[in-house]
Amino acid sequence: MCGIVGFAFRQPFSAKEILTALKRLEYRGYDSFGYADNSGACIKRVGEIAVDAAPGSFSRTAIVHTRWATHGGITETNAHPHADCTGGIAIVHNGIISNYRELRGDMEAAGHVFRSQTDSETIAHFFEGKDVKKAMPEFFSRFQGEFAVLLIRKGDEKIYAFKRGSPLVLGIAQDGNMVASDIYAFSNKTNRAIFFNEDEFAEITWEGWKFYSIGEGAAPVEKEITPFSWKEGEELGEYPHYMIKEIKEIPQAAGRLLLSLQAEQKPAVEKIVQMMKNAGRVIFVASGSSYHAALIGVQFLARAGMEARAIVASEFRSFMILDESTLAIAVSQSGETMDVIEAMRGIKAKGVKIASLVNVPYSTVQRMSNAHLNIAAGQEICVAATKTFVNQVIAMAYMASMVGYKADFASLDGCIAKAFSQEERIKEIAAELKDRKDIYILGRGISYPVAREIALKLKEISYVHAEGMMAGELKHGTLALIEDGTPVICLMPKNDKDIVSSAEEVKARGARVIAFNGNGIEEGVKIGGADAVAFCIASTIAGQLLTYYIAREKGLPIDKPRNLAKSVTVK
Ligand code: F6R
C-alpha cells in the first residue's frame, strides 16, 4: 500500500509541512514513515507519522513515505526512504517489485551493499552512478510488478517521478509543484492536477515539469491539467473516533446520495442502467465490504429479473466469463484497490464495458471506467467502511429500482433512526460480548451478505473471530460448534419464518441468541424494516455500532486496526 509525497518549492519548506501532507495519506498505511531531502538529511521512524519528527529540517526539495509493510518487517531500517550505496540517491516507493530477488542477487554480485530486507531498495541501487533520465527505459524493462516512485539526488533540486500500476499525481501550486499517491495529499493547497498514465515518468522542479512516455521511446508527452474539487473531511469534533462519527453521518450521507441520484447524477445513473439493459447481464467486481455490498446488489437485480453475479476481485481471473452480453461493475470506496484494478485490466482487455461505483473522485477505478457513479458518502477516514457501505447498498438498490426492483426509499429514514434508537441496548450487548472469542451471525437471502459484513467488522475492528453465514447452512456442519452460551446474532427480517427456525435450532443447543428483530424470539435489538433495503441498512448500522462498542470496551485502536490500511494498493 503506502503513501508517497514529494515537494519542490521555490521557498524552503519545513519537514513538518511535507509530513503534514503525508499525514493526509496515512490511511494508506501506518507501520512506519520517513523523510529525505536533497541536502542528504534522512529520518525514519516506526509507527504513525509524527509531524514533528524532524524539527530542524528545511529544504526546497524533499520526499516522504508512509509504509504498509509487504517485504521486510516493521523496522526503522526497512522504513523508506531507501538510499543507494553512496547515499547520493534517495527513493520512496509504493507498490511491489515482483522480481526483486533476482535483481538484488545481480546487484549484490556486482558489489552493491543492501541495508534493508525490502524489495524497494533495489530501485535506489539500480540508479546508482547513472544518468537517471537516460536509465529510465532500462528501469521500466528490468523492473517487474507495480511501482510509483519518487527519486531525489543529493544537491539536485529535481524530483524524478515514475509509475507503473500504482497511482501517482502531480499537484500544481503557486510557487512550486507537489507529487503524491493521490490528490488528497495536496487538495488543501491546489485544485489543479496532472494524472500520470501507465509507464510514464516526469522531471519535477519548483518551476515546472516535463513528462515522458516509455511506450513512446521515452519521448516527451503533453499532459492535460485536470481541475478538481474535493470537499475536505471534517474534523473529529466531539467524537472520540472517526468510526462513530462516520456511522453517525449515515443519515446525512444517505440523503445526499439519494438527492444526487435524482439530480446531478441522474444522467450518469441513466447511462449505467442503459448499459445494464443493453448487456443483459451484470458482473460486479469488488473486495471486502464493497464485495458484500455487491452481493446485496446481485439480489436486488435478481428480484428485478436481471442476471447478476458478484466476484471477489482477487479471484476474478478464476471465474472470468466475459462476452458482449456482460456489463462489469467495479465497486470500490477508494477506487485504488489493486485487486479491483487488476481485474478491470483483464475485463478491458476482453473489450467488455465497465461501469463503477466509487467514493473517492478522480480515483484510478473511476478513470478506468466507461461510466461511473459517485456514492457521495464524503470522506471516510476510519479504516472500516461504514457510511460508504451503506451508500453502496443504496446506489445498488436505486439502479435496480430503475430496472423494476421495488424498493421503499421513503421508509429509509425511519429505519435508520430506529437502528440508532437502539444504541444504549447495543452498548449493553457489547459489554456482555466483549470477552467472547467467537461470534456467529446468521442471515438468509438478502440479509446473508449483511451477516458477512457484520462478521468482517467484528474481525477487523473488535478483533473477535466472527462468521457470517447462511442460516440454512448451519445444520450442514457449523452447528457442531454451538455450545452453551455461544453468541449467535440472528438477522430476522419481518415475515421470514425460516430464520426463526434457525434461531430456535441454535437456541435449543444453548446458544445466546441476539435477534435483530424478534419475530417471536426474544428481541435483542429492534430493527424494524418491512422493506428489504431498509432492513439491510438498519441491521448493518446495528452491527457497526455493536462492533464499535465491543472495540471500545476492549480499548482497541478503532480507527487504525493493526495490520490494515484503508486503501489496499497491492495484490
Ligand atoms: C472493511 C473494508 C475493506 C474494504 C476493501 C475494499 O471495513 O473497508 O474490506 O472494503 O479493502 O476497499 P475498496 O472499497 O476501497 O475497494
Side-chain angles (χ1 to χ4, degrees):
M1 267 79 94
C2 310
I4 58 178
V5 182
F7 277 9
F9 275 92
R10 186 151 64 102
Q11 300 298 337
F13 54 86
S14 64
K16 186 174 173 167
E17 194 174 340
I18 188 168
L19 285 170
T20 303
L22 183 69
K23 190 88 183 157
R24 297 163 72 91
L25 298 188
E26 207 169 39
Y27 67 87
R28 303 177 76 91
Y30 35 82
D31 289 335
S32 65
F33 69 98
Y35 162 95
D37 62 35
N38 64 347
S39 73
C42 181
I43 61 142
K44 301 178 185 212
R45 297 276 187 282
V46 166
E48 289 179 25
I49 299 163
V51 291
D52 291 322
S57 294
F58 275 83
S59 80
R60 299 183 349 150
T61 313
I63 53 176
V64 284
H65 183 276
T66 186
R67 180 169 188 241
W68 185 84
T70 57
H71 296 64
I74 303 166
T75 63
E76 267 184 25
T77 316
N78 288 332
H80 297 218
H82 292 291
D84 64 341
C85 297
T86 69
I89 285 178
I91 65 100
V92 289
H93 167 221
N94 169 32
I96 290 177
I97 304 298
S98 52
N99 61 338
Y100 84 99
R101 281 182 201 282
E102 179 194 320
L103 291 164
R104 181 172 174 148
D106 291 349
M107 289 173 185
E108 281 175 336
H112 289 269
V113 178
F114 280 72
R115 300 173 191 91
S116 75
Q117 287 86 51
T118 65
D119 54 330
S120 310
E121 195 180 338
T122 51
I123 302 169
H125 290 282
F126 171 82
F127 285 102
E128 186 174 328
K130 292 187 174 122
D131 177 320
V132 176
K133 189 178 159 204
K134 284 194 183 138
M136 218 40 99
E138 188 195 342
F139 175 83
F140 274 86
S141 74
R142 284 194 61 196
F143 280 64
Q144 291 165 12
E146 279 100 35
F147 48 83
V149 181
L150 304 179
L151 179 154
I152 55 173
R153 290 182 310 187
K154 203 168 169 178
D156 189 0
E157 300 214 319
K158 187 184 284 180
I159 300 173
Y160 293 88
F162 39 109
K163 87 129 201 163
R164 171 182 287 160
S166 307
L168 196 59
V169 58
L170 175 79
I172 303 157
Q174 271 242 291
D175 54 352
N177 293 299
M178 300 158 289
V179 59
S181 302
D182 67 48
I183 54 171
Y184 189 59
F186 48 63
S187 58
N188 59 339
K189 292 187 189 297
T190 182
N191 61 357
R192 296 195 310 146
I194 297 177
F195 292 94
F196 283 67
N197 288 332
E198 290 306 289
D199 288 14
E200 279 185 350
F201 71 95
E203 296 175 291
I204 299 161
T205 63
W206 71 265
E207 285 171 297
W209 60 86
K210 281 189 194 139
F211 275 78
Y212 306 87
S213 165
I214 293 294
E216 294 174 32
V221 281
E222 286 298 316
K223 297 289 289 184
E224 224 175 86
I225 297 176
T226 307
F228 66 87
S229 62
W230 177 281
K231 199 177 156 296
E232 290 297 310
E234 289 137 42
E235 296 305 310
L236 202 44
E238 82 231 41
Y239 294 103
H241 300 98
Y242 281 102
M243 183 174 181
I244 189 69
K245 172 179 180 277
E246 288 158 3
I247 295 173
K248 295 287 172 82
E249 283 171 353
I250 287 173
Q252 198 192 350
R256 185 167 55 231
L257 173 62
L258 278 170
L259 274 182
S260 90
L261 293 172
Q262 289 151 20
E264 75 267 20
Q265 293 209 87
K266 193 165 183 258
V269 77
E270 283 171 355
K271 181 176 175 184
I272 295 177
V273 168
Q274 195 51 53
M275 287 163 84
M276 282 162 49
K277 286 181 182 161
N278 292 349
R281 186 170 81 119
V282 168
I283 294 197
F284 293 104
V285 52
S287 308
S289 293
S290 297
Y291 169 68
H292 298 151
L295 283 175
I296 297 175
V298 166
Q299 299 212 24
F300 291 150
L301 288 178
R303 288 171 189 205
M306 181 169 274
E307 190 192 335
R309 287 186 69 184
I311 298 181
V312 169
S314 58
E315 291 291 329
F316 197 78
R317 240 176 263 173
S318 328
F319 291 94
M320 199 150 70
I321 318 147
L322 295 168
D323 54 32
E324 65 288 353
S325 60
T326 306
L327 172 70
I329 303 186
V331 188
S332 176
Q333 185 285 130
S334 62
E336 298 296 349
T337 300
M338 188 50 75
D339 289 328
V340 176
I341 292 168
E342 272 286 297
M344 287 174 82
R345 288 192 186 122
I347 295 166
K348 265 175 147 356
K350 297 246 167 165
V352 168
K353 292 232 164 30
I354 306 177
S356 61
L357 299 186
V358 294
N359 189 45
V360 177
Y362 315 101
S363 54
T364 306
V365 168
Q366 176 175 316
R367 286 181 291 115
M368 283 175 78
S369 308
N370 302 92
H372 71 270
L373 274 189
N374 191 288
I375 60 158
Q379 198 195 353
E380 192 175 66
I381 292 173
C382 175
V383 161
T386 53
K387 60 178 179 172
T388 56
F389 174 81
V390 169
N391 271 21
Q392 286 170 341
V393 173
I394 293 174
M396 303 271 182
Y398 196 85
M399 291 191 306
S401 73
M402 290 176 76
V403 292
Y405 173 63
K406 291 201 177 12
D408 178 13
F409 292 109
S411 68
L412 214 53
D413 278 357
C415 270
I416 291 176
K418 186 142 191 205
F420 280 117
S421 75
Q422 299 294 293
E423 196 166 344
E424 289 310 311
R425 175 76 192 111
I426 291 170
K427 277 186 200 169
E428 288 166 18
I429 298 172
E432 182 198 326
L433 297 186
K434 73 175 194 319
D435 296 322
R436 304 312 303 233
K437 297 268 177 290
D438 305 282
I439 299 180
Y440 297 86
I441 306 106
L442 305 184
R444 287 184 78 94
I446 217 146
S447 66
Y448 158 65
V450 178
R452 287 189 60 180
E453 173 59 12
I454 296 174
L456 179 62
K457 292 280 110 79
L458 284 166
K459 285 185 270 202
E460 71 174 326
I461 301 298
S462 316
Y463 300 171
V464 179
H465 170 255
E467 205 175 322
M469 56 181 302
M470 296 174 182
E473 278 294 283
L474 198 65
K475 57 187 175 295
H476 297 291
T478 311
L479 201 53
L481 292 173
I482 305 299
E483 45 190 30
D484 240 8
T486 306
V488 180
I489 297 172
C490 295
L491 307 184
M492 305 177 67
K494 296 256 182 253
N495 312 322
D496 187 334
K497 302 258 178 318
D498 292 335
I499 188 88
V500 179
S501 312
S502 306
E504 294 287 9
E505 280 161 25
V506 288
K507 218 171 149 205
R509 281 144 185 98
R512 160 77 174 97
V513 170
I514 298 142
F516 282 16
N517 276 349
N519 298 1
I521 300 269
E522 191 197 335
E523 214 155 30
V525 179
K526 287 186 195 349
I527 298 292
D531 175 66
V533 181
F535 181 78
C536 276
I537 290 174
S539 48
T540 297
I541 294 171
Q544 291 172 349
L545 288 171
L546 182 64
T547 296
Y548 174 74
Y549 285 113
I550 293 178
R552 260 188 86 162
E553 287 279 342
K554 292 167 89 166
L556 296 175
I558 293 177
D559 288 330
K560 290 181 184 152
R562 69 182 169 218
N563 305 338
L564 300 177
K566 186 140 190 83
S567 190
V568 186
T569 60
V570 292
K571 277 195 268 179

